[in-house]
């Protein structure tokens, strides 16, 4: 309402006087927005790192449980069937621990597991005593 009462010369002078203030306010607003954007980016990165850490810890715990379970199973069945024990405690244990804990698998790992399984199965087939006759 006050601006409509001014003539063109006074209006131009008033606008010229306000311009530095408006520029400063604009820069402040842009700086504030940039800081908010950086804070949001930082929070996003922090959440991403936290999720990656939690996933990695889950993989380590899972790998440890699998490895300990296979070792325990191998020790438990060792007196009855040594060949099953070699399957549980041999290259398959190392391959699964590598997959779960390190998060990678090489083609050679599975070849070693297959070879160990074949060797153990062949040895068990040759070493088994004959079945007693059923009466």
């Amino acid at each position: 309402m006050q601006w409509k009462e001014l003539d063109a010369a006074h209006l131009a002078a008033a606008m010229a006087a306000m311009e530095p203030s408006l520029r400063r306010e604009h820069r402040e607003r842009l700086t504030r927005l940039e800081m908010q954007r950086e804070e949001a980016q930082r929070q996003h990165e922090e959440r991403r790192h936290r999720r990656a850490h939690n996933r990695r810890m889950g993989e380590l715990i899972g790998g440890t449980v699998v490895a300990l379970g296979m070792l325990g199973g191998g020790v438990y069945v060792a007196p009855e069937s040594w060949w099953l024990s070699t399957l549980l405690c041999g290259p398959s244990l190392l391959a699964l621990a590598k997959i779960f804990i390190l998060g990678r698998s090489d083609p050679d790992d599975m070849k070693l597991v297959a070879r160990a399984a074949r060797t153990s199965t062949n040895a068990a087939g040759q070493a088994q005593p004959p079945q007693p006759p059923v009466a």
Side-chain angles (χ1 to χ4, degrees), residues 7 31 40 65-66 70 75 78 83 90 110 122 126-127:
D7 61 357
T31 303
V65 167
V66 167
M70 288 179 73
V75 169
W83 61 273
M110 291 301 115
N122 290 340
Q126 293 171 358

Side-chain angles (χ1 to χ4, degrees), residues 1-18:
M1 297 295 238
Q2 296 171 354
W3 294 102
K4 73 176 182 172
E5 297 172 6
L6 295 177
D7 61 357
H10 285 94
L11 186 59
M15 294 300 273
M18 285 180 50

Side-chain angles (χ1 to χ4, degrees), residues 10 20-21 29 47 58-59 63 70-71 73 75 79 87 95 103-104 114:
H10 285 94
S21 173
R29 193 175 307 118
R47 283 192 307 270
E59 290 171 355
M70 288 179 73
L71 266 172
V75 169
L87 285 176
R104 64 171 231 230

